[in-house]
Structures are given as C-alpha cells and as structure tokens.
Amino acid sequence: MKIDERHLIQLAAVVKTGGVTEGAALLGLAQPAVSRTLSMLEKRVGEPLFIKGRRPLRPTPLGLSLAEHGLVMLAASRKASDLVESFRIGKSGVVRIGGTPFFMDALIARLCAEFQTSHPDVRIDQSYGYFSDLRAALRADQIDLAICPIDILDEGSGLEFQQILPGRNVVACRVTHPLLLKRRPQPSHLLDYPWIAPPPGSPLLADLRALLLSFGATEIKIRYTGGSLMSVINYLKSADALTVMPHSVVFAQRKEKTITALPITIPHPERALAILKRIDAPRAPAVDQFAEFVRAGFQDLRHLIKRHEESVIWGL
Amino acid sequence: MKIDERHLIQLAAVVKTGGVTEGAALLGLAQPAVSRTLSMLEKRVGEPLFIKGRRPLRPTPLGLSLAEHGLVMLAASRKASDLVESFRIGKSGVVRIGGTPFFMDALIARLCAEFQTSHPDVRIDQSYGYFSDLRAALRADQIDLAICPIDILDEGSGLEFQQILPGRNVVACRVTHPLLLKRRPQPSHLLDYPWIAPPPGSPLLADLRALLLSFGATEIKIRYTGGSLMSVINYLKSADALTVMPHSVVFAQRKEKTITALPITIPHPERALAILKRIDAPRAPAVDQFAEFVRAGFQDLRHLIKRHEESVIWGL
DNA sequence: TATCTTCATAACAATCCGTTATATTGTTTT
DNA sequence: AAAACAATATAACGGATTGTTATGAAGATA
C-alpha cells in the first residue's frame, strides 16, 4: 500500500489544526482540495481516518498515527524550503577556498571567522597550494576560490582573477634585531645573518633568489626552511634571523609586536595577490558573497597597509 | 520557495543509490520520470544539484543537503505504508474493551497478554462497567468491545452480541472452609457464615438476592462489600466468609488453591457472558481479531470449566 | 427551531506524472 | 584514437491528479 506523501502532509495539517478549513489554510490551499484528499485517502487506506458525524473533527487512532508521519514530512519539507532559500541568498552552503599558506594563515583565516558572524551557516573548507596547484584544483572543481599571488601577465584560460593587493615584499625579522638599530641598513649587512628560506615551490622563494641576485650575493646562510607561517614566526622570535615575506603578512602581525620589517627597500615582484574563480562554472551564492567579503576586506586594509609600509620601511 | 515533496524523495533515492536508473528502480519508477524530475527541481531551485558532466553522478553540497531531507520523507512514507498494512491485517491499532470487573480481572487480562504475544503492536485500553454503562459506552464509541453478562432475552438495538460462556454461579469460599468438610452442605448452613456482597450495581448482587429468596432467607450477615476481585479473594483467604461468584471466575483461580466453590447447586441466572459490538460501526481489524481471540479462548475453556464444575460441585 | 459554521460534492481547466521510444553524452575497451 | 557500452537526457502522449469556484448538506449553537 503506497501512500501519496502529499496526502499524508495534508492529513497532518488537518489533524494539527483541528479542521479541514484551517488545515487547508495552513498549506495555502482551498478547503475543497483538502477535503477531497481526505476522502481519497480514506478510500485507499480502506479504514476510517476520522470519526464520522462529529465536529470538531476527531481522528481515529490510525488517522492520528498516520498524521504523525505526515508531520515529519511536513517539517522536512519546510526545512528543505528554508535550506534552498538560505542557499540562494548565500546564507548557507559550502565555500571551498585554497591559497598560499602564508596568506591563508596570516590574513584569510581571520576573514573567514569574520565572514561567519554574518553567515553562520556557511561552512568553509580551506586547503593550501601554490598557483599551479590551485589552478588545477579550480579546474577540477575541487575548490571554488583560490587566493594567491599571480603574475600580472597571467591571463584568461577560463579563470577570472581579481587583484586585491599589490605584491610588496619586505625583509622580516624580530623586533629586537640588531639591524633595526642602524639608521640606514645596507643590503650587504643582510648577508651577515642567518636566513629562513620560504617553503620550496613558493613564489617567495623565487623572490628571495631574485633579491640575492640584485645584491650580487652568491651565497647566504639558509638555516631553516619548510615551516608554516607560525613556525617561521616562532623561529624568528628566537633568533636574529631574516626572511622574505609579503608585507601584508608582516602587517597582519603588527599587533603581536614580535616581528617587523627592516627599513630596506627591496624589488617589488611583478605579482599581485588575487582571487581566482572559474569564469564558466556556476558558483554557489555563498561563494560569491565570500569573495566579495574578502575583496572588501582587503580594500579596507589597503591604505592601512600603505601607510604602515611608509612608516615602517621609509620611516616617515 | 515551495518544493514538491515527491521531488525531494526522488532526489533522495538518486543520491542514495548513486544513479538515476537505480534510484528510479528503488522507487519503482522508470528512469526518464526521475530524470525529468531532477531537471525540474534544478530549474526551480535555480542552483545545480549535481555536478555536471561527471559520472558516476555526484551531488553538489546543496543537492546532498536536500537529499537528506528527502530521505527523512522517504523513511516516513515507508513507515506510514507499513503502519497501514499492519493496521489492516489487525497487527497494530488500539482495542478499547470494557467489561464487568470480575470477568476482566479474572479472565480477560490474561487473554490480553496472550493476544499480544502474536499482536505486540496492538494497544489495549481496558475500562470497567456494567451492562448499561457498557452499552452506552459502545454507542458513544468510547469502547470497541464490551465483555459482560447479559440477559439472554436482551436483543438488537444496534448491538451484536456473541455468547461465550453460559452463566453459572457458585458459592465461593476459602479452601479451608468448614462447610467443605460436610458431604452434602445444606442451604440453611449458608446462613451461619458472614457474607461478602458483590459490588453495588453488579448482576451478581441481584443473583445473591435471588439466591436468598430461594432459601426463604430474609437476612444474612453482609460483612464486606465494594471490593474488586482481588480484594474479595484476599478477604476470603482470611476468613470463613462466603460470596456468590461466576463459576468461571472461581475456575480461573484454581491454580492458586486459595478459593473454591461449595458443592451446592444454586439457581442459574438467565444470563450468559457475551461479547458485545456495535453492529453498524466500522471496527478496526485488530478489534475483530481480538474478539475472535477471546471467543476462541473461551471455546477452549468451556469444557474444561464444565468438567471442573462437575468435579467440584457435584463431586464426580 | 433557526442560524451559522464547517465539511462534502460537482464540474472544469491546467498541470503533472509516468510511460515508451530515441538521442546524447561520458566512460571504458581494444 | 576509435568503437562499443552504459547511463542520462529529451520527446511525445495518454491519463491521472491537482487546483480552482460554486453549491449543497450536515452539525453545532443560540
């Protein structure tokens, strides 16, 4: 005996409200529709669902039991409708983001938390990678957004990218570093201290190499490599080591007062932090909202970072 | 955004089984029906529910969430179908029985328990009353069955009654009662002992009066009245009192070896224990099954009781 | 008894459903 | 890389069901 689910829901509405008219109103239907449904149900079930000739309407035990199941369905239906609604306005769903480790750790994680104060039902799945990995992950639909530095020249190929921060690197060290005592540290001084190399494969590593070349240096003391941002910072805290970092990452740590940037200008990489999306794929609304949130967040940061850069590096 | 419940269920079936074809099979539908449902759902929801161009079919997060709600509905629907099925074969539902206290306590309660070994999901609601109450309760649809002694002459009036045991009364006493030592106790001896009167309003009370009249007795010592069967038995256990009881009730207590019947024949009431139903009303299948169970149970008891009567009362 | 509310029925239009037949697409095999 | 295979999407159609409004019947209430 297969029972039409809609019928059960209508039965539940009638039992719940105590009348055909009210039940129909609850479902936004006309009374005769529900009335007919009930007679059809009774005919199919072959047993009375309501006690006849009594008003207010009273269900039989069977009718009551069936109505309970209908109520379950009604609730599930409501929840499903709400889910769709909240998904469409970007208030629920999953956002899968990938990015370069330092940016994610230093800047994005905090933004995720902030985003969820207004979008508590959105889940964020984060993963790490560099440009080529992220591009592949985007194309394979393993992530929805990538946040990473890309060469300004890189273009198209099905990906849309939105620049959110110009690429500026600095030499980072702990706040007690001896080089900070000099008014104008010279690049040659940099070679006197141990260095932390950025993770293999990272753009920063390439930046470090370019930096050395610009000094004409052939060798520096690499003493530590491979650590995540937290490892690097903790290492820096404990030694007079140096490393190359995006300025924004150092900026994000300014409140901790543990690391800072040396007042030395080094070449800008031809790169910018950007948000990458697939241009063709349909994205969940929550993804677009998150991307916009990140973009707006960086927009706010931009001049703060600029001013910080001028004061720290140029000493203005 | 209202969503058709049937659509959600089909979605759930597809997600659960991992394919349109299998999902359709699970629901007993053809594949194109389900396929079309999915496209309609996607169009209405406005968001993709499955990742396009990938097989085996993989749902999007939204599709997965919606499918979970659908699964709830599917389960509820299955349960409802099972419920109807078991109700129709009398394996679930409610049976509301009413009856005279002594019979219910001595005989019917045990039958209820036995009935439920084969019908564990049937609930039995028991209540007490005498004929006129029970008849009213039946007519008001407060009970489904009444089990009580009725005059053979009583007839019709919308009620069907089925005789299950002839009315035989005995004089009951404890097994150590002194009258049991006499080979042939005479009616006059009965007046020497204290009596328990059956509850006011009960047919037994009328029987007691008739009994007295037949002895020409004008007065007996009523020492106790108003108790339920258990009270009466416990009273009898502790005193050499006498009372009138249906023989079947005494019979039901034979295993306890605490009360028995005096070997004295007293007039049969023109009554029989019967099952009463409304003749017009639709009854739940479980009710009919229970009535039949009770009838069959008494049928089995009948000759046992007869033999017991002969051996106890006639000393055969 | 009269009135009022609520439920049941009738009639009709529109939608939706489920079917079979067929095309398309993604995957696997050679 | 082409071909074979399997699964899904589309098309077309008959029929069932759903929704509506208008109206009649039956309890409840005064």
Side-chain angles (χ1 to χ4, degrees), chain B residues 168-173 177-193 195 211-212 214-215 242-247 250 260-269 308-316:
Chain B
R168 304 272 178 175
N169 284 343
V170 295
V171 177
C173 61
H177 197 283
L179 275 183
L180 289 169
L181 301 175
K182 300 187 184 288
R183 271 192 82 79
R184 284 260 164 266
Q186 296 307 305
S188 56
H189 296 147
L190 298 178
L191 304 180
D192 301 337
Y193 295 92
W195 279 73
L211 178 63
L212 295 178
S214 73
F215 297 164
L242 302 173
T243 192
V244 175
M245 266 190 193
H247 174 243
V250 175
T260 188
L262 282 184
I264 289 181
T265 309
I266 60 176
H268 297 160
H308 182 263
E309 183 179 348
E310 286 165 352
S311 76
V312 170
I313 300 179
W314 301 100
L316 298 182

Side-chain angles (χ1 to χ4, degrees), chain B residues 273-295:
Chain B
L273 187 62
I275 300 179
L276 287 150
K277 314 173 188 178
R278 268 188 308 175
I279 202 152
D280 54 330
R283 282 181 303 277
V287 170
D288 285 329
Q289 295 223 354
F290 181 73
E292 170 56 23
F293 183 86
V294 170
R295 201 198 54 69

Side-chain angles (χ1 to χ4, degrees), chain B residues 87-104:
Chain B
F87 187 92
R88 291 170 65 163
I89 63 176
K91 290 283 184 182
S92 75
V94 179
V95 178
R96 299 166 303 168
I97 57 175
T100 49
F102 283 9
F103 281 118
M104 300 308 274

Side-chain angles (χ1 to χ4, degrees), chain B residues 4 6-7 10 28-30 32-33 36 44 53 55:
Chain B
D4 191 321
R6 193 176 316 203
H7 292 180
Q10 293 188 13
L29 298 177
R36 183 177 46 188
R44 292 186 133 180
R55 245 167 0 193

Side-chain angles (χ1 to χ4, degrees), chain A residues 19-21 31-32 35-36 55:
Chain A
V20 177
T21 307
Q31 168 264 324
S35 181
R36 184 177 46 185
R55 245 168 359 193

